[in-house]
Amino acid sequence: MFQFFANIFGYLLEILYSFINNYGLAIIFFTIIIKILFIPFSVKQQKTMKKTAKIQEKMKIIQFKYKNNPEKMNQEVMELYKTEKMSPFSGCLTAIIQIVLLFSIFYLVRSPLTFMQKIPTENINNYVKQLQESGKSVSTAYPEIDIIREYNFLKEKNPDDQYIDKANLQMNFLGLDLSKVPQQNLTDYTVYIIPVLYILSSFVSIKLTTAMQKKKEEKPIDGTTGKELVPEKESNEMEALMQTNKMMSWFMPLMSVSVAIIAPLGLALYWLTNNILMIIERLILNKVIKSEEE
């Protein structure tokens, strides 16, 4: 499945590269287009976050009121979701889309000659064999990146090959070689620039999301007795749930950083650009949705 989407995304990236003739700029414009295409999902996710914050107190009351009657509690919860026109699985679609994008783009950046330049597998295997026979280092994880790096050598070996010129990708972006893999170039400080910027942008994005979801906690009060409807035990359980959600919000960025270290810098550039666009998008959508509510 991931290879299928990587192949589709490859057509778009190749079109952009044919106009721009720079791999880094092509990735940036590619990210912008993908972000625009997925705006409807982003709007839905933002509205879901707003609704979730609003029904949180109602959920607490239901959970406390029917804590000894799980069946009735489930019925009331489902009725609440129905009344608010919200699905318990609202966030699942967004999570699935993020995972599909994550691995599809990884495949695309890992093998740009296959998915972007559409060079036949037979030709790619032949290039790899020639490099190995000449004693040149070829990575088992990213052989196509090595082919791009050794384009001049392979051009001399295959002057009549109709596909070899497709391996001549311009990977230099603002002085950074996007074909480099941080794990393989630990002494080169330039390979850390994009991943570090990505980490910083992830921190800003998570802080922004947390701030938007955060709502002043006011425990529901029984109007007759004046007592809290949600006792300390229930409050502690809710607090534990919030802490778990907070930890989960860090999972994707941490996993992405781990992958970025072992993947070509082009992947980290995509994630960095995506994060910056996501921050801008959330700020704009938050104002728009807030205006609609008012």
Side-chain angles (χ1 to χ4, degrees):
M1 180 180 68
F2 300 128
Q3 292 182 351
F4 170 77
F5 284 106
N7 194 50
I8 293 177
F9 292 149
Y11 283 107
L12 175 59
L13 189 58
E14 193 278 329
I15 291 172
L16 292 171
Y17 181 83
S18 66
F19 283 103
I20 302 170
N21 199 36
N22 184 279
Y23 189 66
L25 289 175
I27 285 180
I28 290 175
F29 281 103
F30 168 83
T31 311
I32 293 173
I33 292 174
I34 294 296
K35 180 59 68 176
I36 292 174
L37 291 175
F38 282 90
I39 280 180
F41 293 100
S42 299
V43 172
K44 187 174 182 180
Q45 181 187 24
Q46 199 92 332
K47 287 184 177 181
T48 299
M49 288 167 56
K50 291 279 187 180
K51 280 189 176 182
T52 301
K54 284 184 177 180
I55 69 173
Q56 188 178 38
E57 294 301 329
K58 294 179 182 178
M59 286 283 290
K60 287 182 181 179
I61 294 174
I62 291 174
Q63 289 170 351
F64 174 71
K65 189 175 180 179
Y66 301 104
K67 62 181 180 180
N68 295 322
N69 190 345
E71 184 176 349
K72 180 65 175 176
M73 180 175 65
N74 290 334
Q75 291 177 355
E76 292 294 322
V77 168
M78 295 305 296
E79 186 63 30
L80 176 60
Y81 277 116
K82 185 177 179 181
T83 303
E84 297 292 337
K85 297 180 180 180
M86 183 176 170
S87 169
F89 308 103
S90 306
C92 294
L93 179 60
T94 302
I96 293 173
I97 291 173
Q98 288 179 340
I99 292 174
V100 171
L101 281 175
L102 172 68
F103 287 100
S104 298
I105 301 301
F106 173 74
Y107 273 99
L108 174 58
V109 177
R110 175 182 178 271
S111 305
L113 300 184
T114 295
F115 298 111
M116 174 184 162
Q117 298 297 77
K118 312 301 181 185
I119 297 178
T121 303
E122 181 182 351
N123 293 66
I124 291 175
N125 291 338
N126 183 49
Y127 303 151
V128 170
K129 184 178 179 181
Q130 289 177 354
L131 291 176
Q132 292 173 336
E133 290 176 348
S134 300
K136 295 185 179 294
S137 175
V138 181
S139 168
T140 55
Y142 310 104
E144 295 187 19
I145 298 300
D146 292 316
I147 291 174
I148 295 171
R149 190 177 295 116
E150 298 291 344
Y151 163 75
N152 292 327
F153 170 80
L154 290 170
K155 176 65 176 178
E156 292 180 2
K157 285 275 189 179
N158 307 273
D160 300 324
D161 190 324
Q162 61 176 322
Y163 292 104
I164 189 60
D165 286 336
K166 286 180 172 287
N168 188 22
L169 292 178
Q170 176 54 261
M171 305 292 281
N172 185 283
F173 176 70
L174 299 178
L176 301 175
D177 185 352
L178 298 181
S179 69
K180 287 187 175 180
V181 179
Q183 187 184 40
Q184 298 173 356
N185 299 270
L186 297 177
T187 58
D188 184 356
Y189 75 92
T190 62
V191 301
Y192 302 111
I193 295 176
I194 295 179
V196 168
L197 290 175
Y198 167 72
I199 293 172
L200 293 176
S201 66
S202 295
F203 180 78
V204 173
S205 177
I206 291 172
K207 283 291 183 181
L208 178 62
T209 303
T210 303
M212 289 170 59
Q213 290 179 325
K214 191 175 181 181
K215 183 180 179 183
K216 186 176 180 181
E217 290 292 325
E218 295 180 357
K219 297 177 182 178
I221 304 296
D222 189 314
T224 304
T225 63
K227 294 182 179 180
E228 295 176 355
L229 284 174
V230 182
E232 184 178 357
K233 179 182 178 182
E234 297 292 326
S235 179
N236 291 337
E237 290 178 356
M238 190 63 65
E239 184 68 25
L241 179 61
M242 290 175 65
Q243 289 296 326
T244 301
N245 291 336
K246 186 176 180 181
M247 291 176 62
M248 287 300 295
S249 69
W250 285 94
F251 174 75
M252 185 65 75
L254 288 175
M255 185 179 73
S256 299
V257 169
S258 301
V259 176
I261 292 175
I262 62 173
L265 286 178
L267 182 62
L269 178 61
Y270 165 78
W271 283 334
L272 171 61
T273 306
N274 187 65
N275 263 6
I276 294 173
L277 292 174
M278 184 164 52
I279 292 170
I280 297 172
E281 177 189 72
R282 284 179 177 172
L283 289 173
I284 294 175
L285 288 180
N286 189 46
K287 287 188 176 182
V288 172
I289 294 174
K290 187 176 181 181
S291 297
E292 288 179 353
E293 290 177 344
E294 292 176 351

